[in-house]
Amino acid sequence: MRVKTVLVAALALVTMGATAAETVPAQAKTRVLQTKKMKKRAYKVSGGYFYKNTKLKKRVHKASKYLRTNFYTYKSAKIRKSNGKVVKYYYVKNKAGNVKGWVWHKNLVKQPTYSRQKKDIAAMKKIVMGMSQEVQDNTLGLFPHMSYKAAYHDGASGRDLYNVVSNMALNYDDNESSDIQGILKTYRLFKGRYGSRNQWIQNDYNDFDDALNGRNGQSVWSTGFDLLNDISDAISYLNN
């Protein structure tokens, strides 16, 4: 009787093993769920890679080599990756057409319009005019004749928002509440447009906020300086 019981138990284990093996799915593959044409719009890459096709296996370009190059959209694809995650990729080309490929849409930053740049210049000027006299004296002189076509970084004249925010970092007073508010307003103005630097700047902002509230033992001035410098660096990549 004991032998019969052992045999039945062993048979049950074998059967369970076979059933389990049958229910294990084959390794999932990357699958395109949807593709569609896109309007031709200008973007800049902020990180990652260009892929040859929607299989996302072969990298053809490293984005960091083309951070200041304009790319134009042609197609989008909704893709389920092998890990089950659904992502969106855009097929883009530069003007010459020699650099192209599929890029994760969150690594692309839409290029601002003339109107957007004009509004950002006006908003930043208003922020500076509400700050301390020291910041105003060293920054307001950059606004006259600032180009609406290269508002964020104009290497020729230096009259751009990159230099405005950099000057704010050098001249703000951490004992002036108007300067603290100016930093916070600058952060909010460009929030959502930092591209691949977003997490870095978010960390800077958290450090600044903690310093303001005495939570981390860091100085308000140094954390504000770091935040403004990283914002200036990030927005320098926004210009056409």
Side-chain angles (χ1 to χ4, degrees), residues 64-229:
S64 59
K65 295 181 179 180
Y66 303 99
L67 297 180
R68 295 196 181 278
T69 302
N70 278 342
F71 289 92
Y72 302 91
T73 51
Y74 290 87
K75 292 183 287 186
S76 71
K78 187 184 291 185
I79 300 168
R80 179 180 287 120
K81 301 178 76 172
S82 58
N83 61 6
K85 186 176 181 180
V86 175
V87 292
K88 187 185 294 184
Y89 275 71
Y90 292 167
Y91 183 73
V92 299
K93 299 180 186 179
N94 65 346
K95 188 174 182 180
N98 61 319
V99 181
K100 55 192 175 183
W102 291 91
V103 178
W104 184 41
H105 80 289
K106 289 191 176 180
N107 280 334
L108 290 164
V109 180
K110 187 181 291 185
Q111 290 306 283
T113 61
Y114 178 94
S115 176
R116 175 73 270 173
Q117 296 187 68
K118 187 176 181 180
K119 288 178 181 178
D120 282 340
I121 289 173
M124 277 305 307
K125 186 174 182 180
K126 185 177 180 180
I127 289 172
V128 171
M129 290 180 70
M131 297 176 72
S132 65
Q133 195 62 49
E134 184 75 14
V135 172
Q136 293 187 48
D137 289 345
N138 288 279
T139 308
L140 285 177
L142 294 172
F143 286 95
H145 310 297
M146 190 178 287
S147 171
Y148 296 148
K149 292 183 179 180
Y152 308 105
H153 192 268
D154 183 351
S157 70
R159 292 177 178 272
D160 51 41
L161 296 182
Y162 163 79
N163 280 292
V164 167
V165 179
S166 294
N167 278 11
M168 286 170 60
L170 292 171
N171 294 286
Y172 95 92
D173 186 342
D174 60 350
N175 291 311
E176 288 278 354
S177 61
S178 62
D179 286 357
I180 299 301
Q181 287 303 310
I183 294 173
L184 295 173
K185 289 176 182 177
T186 301
Y187 165 76
R188 292 178 192 131
L189 176 62
F190 297 103
K191 188 176 181 181
R193 292 189 276 164
Y194 297 128
S196 62
R197 295 164 179 75
N198 181 68
Q199 190 57 56
W200 194 348
I201 291 174
Q202 184 62 53
N203 291 339
D204 287 341
Y205 172 79
N206 291 340
D207 287 343
F208 182 57
D209 185 61
D210 286 343
L212 287 173
N213 292 283
R215 291 192 292 258
N216 59 5
Q218 297 185 57
S219 80
V220 172
W221 191 87
S222 65
T223 53
F225 177 83
D226 290 343
L227 175 59
L228 287 173
N229 268 329

Side-chain angles (χ1 to χ4, degrees), residues 23-38:
T23 57
V24 175
Q27 185 175 1
K29 294 181 180 180
T30 298
R31 180 185 172 193
V32 177
L33 303 177
Q34 182 188 54
T35 58
K36 58 183 179 181
K37 291 182 179 180
M38 294 182 68

